[in-house]
Amino acid sequence: AAESVYNSLASGENAEEKTVASTGEIDAEEKTVEVTQYAESMEKSWVYDELKEVRNCHEAFSRWGVGGGLLYTGIAAHITKGKEPWTLPTPVGSSAGESKTDSKATKPAKDFQPIEYPAPDGLMTFDLLTNLQRSGTYHDDDQPSHLRIKPELAHIPESTSLQVYAAPESRFCPAGVYEYVEEKLVINAQNCIHCKCCSVKMPSEYIDWTVPEGAGGPQYQVM
């Protein structure tokens, strides 16, 4: 856990430095600016080296269970040090030769039976809005939405996500950010708790998850 904290702090510091350094290059007429220097800098950092060493460990557990995962992780961590000439691909979501993503693993709703969940009892289980309130999530009402539909994929929420997949974004989002009103997508970006699930699980990954204004998001007090 401590290692993850150090990596997070280092990557955050790196992001701040590269963002500040690029402010002089920003065109005031542009709505969004991608700080490409951040990714380039991270690839040269010790954080990248550490993460690359263990890139196959999670997938090893997924493929071969606890025993196989421990064996592979031990070899990768103490012998090869991440220098294996391969990266284990995620074996779901696409056919051979394509990139394998979580979004491609989503299957049409017609292949499944709807699940009826019991109502929250208020003791061990709670409704979504109650949990959202406890997270202390807040975004300024006048800030631009940080959740944006990619222009080239605007047809997905209009004619595919609800019609083919039964609107998975309206169910997996823990904050009720996405809802369909009269078959039209409504994005309640102010509810977002920054889990970023939508950026990887949406059909065709049609959401562009951008960074919101500073100090926005969940305010967990006991972590």
Side-chain angles (χ1 to χ4, degrees):
E3 192 75 15
S4 298
V5 172
Y6 293 141
N7 288 344
S8 298
L9 290 173
S11 61
E13 182 179 2
N14 197 318
E16 178 186 13
E17 292 175 353
K18 299 309 174 185
T19 301
V20 172
S22 66
T23 53
E25 306 171 7
I26 294 178
D27 185 343
E29 296 183 357
E30 291 189 65
K31 293 184 178 180
T32 60
V33 176
E34 182 177 1
V35 183
T36 57
Q37 299 95 321
Y38 170 64
E40 296 168 356
S41 178
M42 283 300 296
E43 290 181 1
K44 300 175 183 177
S45 71
W46 58 267
V47 176
Y48 184 88
D49 292 337
E50 286 195 356
L51 294 178
K52 186 176 181 180
E53 284 188 14
V54 296
R55 69 188 183 281
N56 289 321
C57 295
H58 184 277
E59 183 57 33
F61 280 95
S62 297
R63 288 182 178 221
W64 304 308
V66 176
L70 286 173
L71 178 61
Y72 187 96
T73 298
I75 294 173
H78 300 288
I79 300 177
T80 63
K81 299 289 186 180
K83 295 180 180 178
E84 308 98 292
W86 61 79
T87 296
L88 298 175
T90 304
V92 296
S94 66
S95 47
E98 294 181 345
S99 60
K100 307 193 188 313
T101 64
D102 286 324
S103 63
K104 290 180 180 178
T106 305
K107 298 179 181 179
K110 64 181 179 61
D111 296 341
F112 302 90
Q113 291 295 325
I115 301 174
E116 295 295 335
Y117 294 99
D121 59 18
L123 297 174
M124 298 296 294
T125 59
F126 302 90
D127 64 275
L128 184 149
L129 292 180
T130 297
N131 284 333
L132 179 62
Q133 183 181 31
R134 288 173 173 166
S135 73
T137 298
Y138 176 79
H139 296 86
D140 286 337
D141 295 333
D142 60 349
Q143 71 171 278
S145 173
H146 65 284
L147 304 170
R148 302 164 186 172
I149 298 174
K150 298 175 182 177
E152 68 276 15
L153 297 175
H155 63 284
I156 300 297
E158 294 175 356
S159 60
T160 303
S161 186
L162 176 63
Q163 293 80 355
V164 178
Y165 300 103
E169 61 270 53
S170 68
R171 286 175 283 118
F172 66 61
C173 178
V177 170
Y178 302 95
E179 61 178 331
Y180 281 84
V181 179
E182 297 181 354
E183 298 191 1
K184 182 177 178 61
L185 178 66
V186 176
I187 301 178
N188 305 301
Q190 69 275 10
N191 289 1
C192 182
I193 60 173
H194 302 182
C195 72
K196 294 199 71 176
C197 181
C198 60
S199 67
V200 298
K201 192 59 178 173
M202 293 290 212
S204 300
E205 298 180 8
Y206 73 78
I207 280 293
D208 183 15
W209 202 104
T210 63
V211 180
E213 291 182 359
Q219 308 293 322
Y220 300 116
Q221 301 298 319
V222 292
M223 294 182 67

